[in-house]
Amino acid sequence: MVDARRRPPARTVRLRPVRKDELALQYRVVHGYRRAFRMAGSGPVLVLIHGIGDSSATWAELIPDLARTHTVIAPDLLGHGASDKPRADYSVAAYANGVRDLLTTLGVESATLVGHSLGGGVAMQFAYQFPERTERLILVSAGGVGSEVNPMLRLVSLPGAHLMLSTLRLPGMRLQVGLAVHLLKMLDTDLGQDAPELLTLVDALPDDTSRYAFIRTLRAVVDWRGQVVTMLDRCYLTQGMPTMLLWGDRDSVVPVRHAYGAHAAMPGSRLEIFEGAGHFPYHSDPARFLSLIEEFTSTTSPADWSREHWRELLVEGRPAVEGAGGRADLARTQALESDLREASERSAT
């Protein structure tokens, strides 16, 4: 599917008021740890996986509309939101296992996964580990493509990050951070496009336990050089699985060029660019986001996984990168080839 940057959504979705009972947190204890999640609606299952430092609350205004046609499950990943924050494994593989186990306790055998940022990496890892349980993939500003990532996240991955984050709780710091973020927005910087979400991240780290969980999660995927894991080396395994990529063209956290790289590496994938949006396109244009989700899930069939097909893909291996022609396409192809060459150093198992 070609880039539909300028194509309007299939139809306009009218956002309806959010009812409290649709957004209430529920809890399940899995492996001795309390897992929080939101669950609403009925029909095919749609799992919404948030990014680092975030929680299921990021989907709150979307859940009621998605729940009209789906059973929507939005977990707080371990170490985030209202879920427990133990000294544990916060790798993408562990998170994929956690999502599987939560779905199993809820009696869900398969689902369409929607993953944002870190959650996109978790969704891809889930599809790799449990392809038979993955119906579709919808990746939103997903991590795990190229090594580039916002310098602030690289800084927080360094030793001493806990002390730096602790200063955010000093008296007056919330106001100063708010003013700085407001200035970024007033100057129309790319980072300023996500001003409200930046303040939410600050508020999500109120104590030592939350900060340690955040740092452990971040260091599992980012170091001082950038992202340390990748999905590029196994993207070809999504062949036959309906996959859609959604990205803001002003994303300052995960550059939009990663969207084109992932699109080229995932056979048959669909790419939708949100013009003027930052790292949270579903907040920038929720009506278009909802329309795309509804259209994609209603016009594609769930992946028909088989052990034989999986084996054939593995034996054939990753196909060569091909460009469609043109200077811009050539540049993207060369960039993707560069990312693929370094993928062996950053592969997640």
Side-chain angles (χ1 to χ4, degrees), residues 14-281:
R14 181 182 297 276
L15 299 179
R16 62 182 175 83
V18 178
R19 297 202 315 266
K20 290 184 178 180
D21 63 314
E22 292 176 295
L23 302 179
L25 282 171
Q26 302 180 49
Y27 301 92
R28 286 291 173 99
V29 175
V30 182
H31 309 313
Y33 301 125
R34 189 179 74 161
R35 318 268 178 151
F37 63 97
R38 302 170 198 268
M39 186 171 181
S42 60
V45 179
L46 201 63
V47 179
L48 311 178
I49 309 175
H50 64 77
I52 189 169
D54 214 335
S55 72
S56 60
T58 194
W59 309 106
E61 294 187 1
L62 302 174
I63 290 175
D65 283 276
L66 292 171
R68 292 179 306 165
T69 52
H70 291 84
T71 297
V72 182
I73 301 172
D76 284 2
L77 295 175
L78 202 66
H80 294 72
S83 289
D84 283 347
K85 301 170 179 64
R87 186 173 182 271
D89 180 1
Y90 290 122
S91 65
V92 289
Y95 276 133
N97 289 337
V99 171
R100 176 205 57 189
D101 292 345
L102 176 62
L103 294 181
T104 300
T105 68
L106 297 175
V108 174
E109 290 301 318
S110 64
T112 294
L113 271 64
V114 182
H116 172 245
S117 197
L118 170 72
V122 174
M124 269 295 301
Q125 187 70 19
F126 185 99
Y128 170 61
Q129 293 177 196
F130 316 112
E132 72 283 1
R133 303 186 69 162
T134 310
E135 297 179 357
R136 300 173 189 82
L137 274 177
I138 301 174
L139 306 178
V140 187
S141 306
V145 183
S147 61
E148 298 161 277
V149 73
N150 189 278
M152 184 59 68
L153 292 178
R154 293 178 7 218
L155 178 64
V156 177
S157 73
L158 296 174
H162 184 267
L163 293 176
M164 181 177 68
L165 291 178
S166 296
T167 64
L168 296 176
R169 310 309 302 178
L170 294 176
M173 280 300 295
R174 178 60 167 74
L175 175 61
Q176 294 182 43
V177 171
L179 291 173
V181 169
H182 181 68
L183 178 61
L184 290 172
K185 186 173 181 63
M186 291 291 291
L187 294 175
D188 195 32
T189 63
D190 288 349
L191 190 59
Q193 304 305 307
D194 300 315
E197 289 78 10
L198 293 175
L199 292 177
T200 299
L201 178 58
V202 173
D203 295 335
L205 304 174
D207 51 44
D208 284 347
T209 301
S210 298
R211 288 189 286 272
Y212 275 120
F214 175 83
I215 292 171
R216 287 177 66 87
T217 303
L218 181 66
R219 288 175 177 168
V221 292
V222 172
D223 65 13
W224 66 273
R225 294 182 298 175
Q227 297 189 62
V228 297
V229 296
T230 186
M231 63 182 184
L232 279 182
D233 60 342
R234 60 202 69 186
C235 273
Y236 67 94
L237 293 172
T238 61
Q239 182 177 326
M241 179 178 293
T243 301
M244 181 165 64
L245 303 159
L246 308 177
W247 231 278
D249 69 350
R250 299 191 64 182
D251 192 331
S252 66
V253 179
V254 182
V256 69
R257 87 166 187 88
H258 291 197
Y260 293 102
H263 178 47
M266 303 176 83
S269 63
R270 172 176 173 178
L271 174 61
E272 296 283 348
I273 302 296
F274 285 60
E275 289 187 340
H279 192 54
F280 295 79

Side-chain angles (χ1 to χ4, degrees), residues 260 322-337:
Y260 293 102
E322 295 182 1
R327 182 174 299 177
D329 186 74
L330 176 61
R332 288 174 186 152
T333 300
Q334 291 174 338
L336 176 58
E337 288 174 339

